[in-house]
């Protein structure tokens, strides 16, 4: 086969067959396809699009460019993917809760880049935790504890790693087909029996409109189902941070409060909704509502917290973390409130701006090589609809230096709108697209 012929086919809006997709993906992985050819391929897909069968073929080809995990377990293997938001630490609640309900959860996750936080960065805010483990070690952790949250090895979907870097410099990141293949090639490499997709929409999400979120949710779920993985999608609101904090250690604290306090909040609620869908799709619950109740119960009774502790210890964290989590998490040098300075109601929150403020504090990355400060971020965030007066704190800043805190103060004030009347608040769950 010839890369030029495949690119020419796409340029003429013809669809490469599965063999051609496999050949091209392997060329991406082993260097047989040049950077110029990879860029031309990405642009041709971006401009002309793929039909559903070609999108599934590209996804499988990219998955099969590297290792595909296999399992010998006594229960279903299931997983979740979020398209990214702010204050979104669901994975750390959901993985142990699902394991407590009888599932196995090998959750291969990523790091933060841009305004959204990374699940691996949150895990590594816990002292001693390492998220880079071998495939053999991953299998052992999952068998022993039921769940693991780790990074992908270099052998997982190497074609995607190469193509993503090319897309980043060729203005083809936004292609729905390439986004779908990129996300699913990595998730399907873990060979899940069922997958749930949390597609975010709103000011703190990459998808700002419901129409765009719906298009992505449909593309992802249809493609994953076409490859044989039972997949549902839930479109969820990101017009305000999901949890009350942004920043790695601060979000771990939110997770621990959700797992140990027994109090209902948006983080626990969304974890139960997503988990309920997964348990139903995996045959561990009669339906999504029954599964939701199961997840809520293992969070309430402490079973999910105990499972989380086992998972953290298995990747090098403190054995007694669940019992004494507050003393293990790092704290920032400067902690100060941001007062509202006016009376009214919180009418809008620019989640992306808040996420970027955390990045500026050192809690995220502007380029991949940036080193993260796990202690910095924002806590005690106001919620949409809250009534405030001039002395009400909009947030609490956790910073390494006074000057960084002052800059964050200004950005937070610009990101939070206060009006004379409360506005209608969007529901947490917008739509479900079930398998």
């Amino acid at each position: 086969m010839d890369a030029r012929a495949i690119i020419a086919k796409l340029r003429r809006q013809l669809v490469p067959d599965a063999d051609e997709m496999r050949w091209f993906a392997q060329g991406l992985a082993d260097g047989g396809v040049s950077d110029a050819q990879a860029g031309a391929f990405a642009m041709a897909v971006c401009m002309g699009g793929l039909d559903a069968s070609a999108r599934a073929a590209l996804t499988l080809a990219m998955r099969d460019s590297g290792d595909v995990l296999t399992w010998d377990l006594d229960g279903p293997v299931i997983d979740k993917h979020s398209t990214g938001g702010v204050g979104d630490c669901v994975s750390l609640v959901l993985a142990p809760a699902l394991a407590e309900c009888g599932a196995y959860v090998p959750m291969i996750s990523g790091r933060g880049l841009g305004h959204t936080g990374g699940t691996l960065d949150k895990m590594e805010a816990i002292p001693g935790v390492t998220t880079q483990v071998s495939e053999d070690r991953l299998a052992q952790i999952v068998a022993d504890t039921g769940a693991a949250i780790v990074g992908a090895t270099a052998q997982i979907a190497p074609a995607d790693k190469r193509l993503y870097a090319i897309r980043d410099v060729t203005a083809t990141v936004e292609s729905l087909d390439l986004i779908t293949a990129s996300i699913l090639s990595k998730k399907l490499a873990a060979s899940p029996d069922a997958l749930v997709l949390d597609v975010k929409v709103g000011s703190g999400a990459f998808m700002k409109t419901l129409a765009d979120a719906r298009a992505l949710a449909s593309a992802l779920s249809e493609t994953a189902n076409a490859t044989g993985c039972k997949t549902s999608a839930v479109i969820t609101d990101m017009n305000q941070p999901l949890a009350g904090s942004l920043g790695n250690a601060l979000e771990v604290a939110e997770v621990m409060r959700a797992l140990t306090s027994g109090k209902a909040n948006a983080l626990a609620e969304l974890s139960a909704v997503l988990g309920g869908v997964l348990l139903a799709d995996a045959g561990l619950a009669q339906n999504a509502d029954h599964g939701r109740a199961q997840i809520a119960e293992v969070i309430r009774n402490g079973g999910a917290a105990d499972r989380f502790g086992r998972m953290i210890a298995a990747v090098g964290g403190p054995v007694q973390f669940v019992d004494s989590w507050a003393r293990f998490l790092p704290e920032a040098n400067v902690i100060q409130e941001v007062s509202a300075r006016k009376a009214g109601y919180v009418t809008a929150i620019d989640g992306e701006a808040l996420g970027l403020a955390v990045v500026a504090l050192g809690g995220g990355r502007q380029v991949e090589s940036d080193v993260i400060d796990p202690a910095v971020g924002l806590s005690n965030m106001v919620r949409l609809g809250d009534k405030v007066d001039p002395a009400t704190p909009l947030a609490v800043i956790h910073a390494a230096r006074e000057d960084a805190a002052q800059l964050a103060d200004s950005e937070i004030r610009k990101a939070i709108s206060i009006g004379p009347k409360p506005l209608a608040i969007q529901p947490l769950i917008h739509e479900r697209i079930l398998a």
Side-chain angles (χ1 to χ4, degrees), residues 36-56:
Q37 290 167 333
F41 176 89
M43 188 61 72
V45 172
C46 190
M47 297 296 289
L50 299 174
D51 63 19
S53 62
R55 190 188 300 139

Side-chain angles (χ1 to χ4, degrees), residues 3-363:
R4 292 169 297 180
I6 295 171
I7 294 164
K9 203 171 188 179
L10 284 165
R11 193 183 67 240
R12 296 195 300 271
Q13 296 190 347
L14 301 174
V15 179
D17 61 31
D19 287 339
E20 289 171 318
M21 289 294 196
R22 279 193 292 271
W23 183 91
F24 200 92
Q26 192 56 50
L28 287 168
D30 63 21
V33 168
S34 71
D35 284 355
Q37 290 167 333
F41 176 89
M43 188 61 72
V45 172
C46 190
M47 297 296 289
L50 299 174
D51 63 19
S53 62
R55 190 188 300 139
L58 176 60
T59 299
L60 287 174
M62 290 170 61
R63 179 200 70 178
D64 294 341
S65 68
D67 293 349
V68 178
L69 305 183
T70 58
W71 306 99
D72 183 17
L73 300 165
D74 59 2
V77 175
I78 60 181
D79 201 359
K80 162 258 181 189
H81 175 77
S82 170
T83 58
V86 290
D88 178 11
C89 38
V90 163
S91 293
L92 276 66
V93 175
L94 183 57
L98 289 168
E100 189 67 12
C101 292
Y104 291 92
V105 192
M107 196 173 280
I108 296 176
S109 301
R111 299 191 181 279
L113 189 62
H115 73 278
T116 63
T119 299
L120 298 184
D121 301 317
K122 294 165 195 174
M123 286 283 290
E124 291 175 355
I126 301 172
V129 166
T130 177
T131 58
Q132 294 305 132
V133 302
S134 69
E135 291 174 15
D136 287 345
R137 179 60 183 149
L138 170 61
Q140 188 64 55
I141 294 170
V142 172
D144 290 346
T145 70
I149 299 175
V150 299
T153 68
Q155 290 73 45
I156 296 291
D160 173 65
K161 186 174 183 180
R162 173 99 186 281
L163 187 58
Y164 189 89
I166 295 292
R167 288 166 56 208
D168 193 39
V169 297
T170 56
T172 54
V173 170
E174 293 82 2
S175 164
L176 193 63
D177 299 310
L178 297 178
I179 290 171
T180 298
S182 178
I183 290 171
L184 293 178
S185 62
K186 296 188 287 287
K187 281 295 175 184
L188 297 179
S191 301
D193 299 305
L195 174 67
V196 70
L197 303 160
D198 180 6
V199 180
K200 305 290 190 186
V201 61
S203 68
F206 290 107
M207 298 298 177
K208 306 298 184 187
T209 69
L210 187 56
D212 287 342
R214 190 180 289 127
L216 178 57
S218 296
L220 286 166
S221 59
E222 289 169 6
T223 302
N225 280 300
T227 68
C229 178
K230 192 166 188 179
T231 302
S232 298
V234 181
I235 300 176
T236 68
D237 193 69
M238 189 42 71
N239 282 302
Q240 61 181 329
L242 179 65
S245 300
L246 287 74
N248 296 297
L250 294 169
E251 289 185 49
V252 173
E254 294 282 351
V255 167
M256 297 317 300
R257 284 189 280 268
L259 289 173
T260 60
S261 73
K263 296 179 180 178
N265 56 25
L267 175 57
E269 180 185 351
L270 182 53
S271 299
V273 169
L274 296 170
V277 170
L278 261 179
L279 291 179
D281 284 350
L284 293 174
Q286 296 172 6
N287 53 49
D289 288 337
H290 184 255
R292 179 178 181 170
Q294 287 182 246
I295 296 291
E297 175 58 19
V298 298
I299 293 174
R300 187 200 64 77
N301 67 23
D306 289 343
R307 186 77 64 156
F308 182 82
R310 291 168 56 191
M311 182 181 76
I312 291 301
V315 290
V319 173
Q320 299 299 322
F321 182 74
V322 171
D323 296 328
S324 308
W325 57 267
R327 74 180 178 90
F328 287 111
L329 293 176
E331 296 183 356
N333 294 328
V334 179
I335 300 176
Q336 65 182 48
E337 292 183 348
V338 181
S339 60
R341 294 184 180 172
K342 62 187 293 188
Y345 296 86
V346 178
T347 56
I349 298 175
D350 186 339
E352 183 171 354
L354 292 177
L356 292 174
V358 173
V359 172
L361 285 168

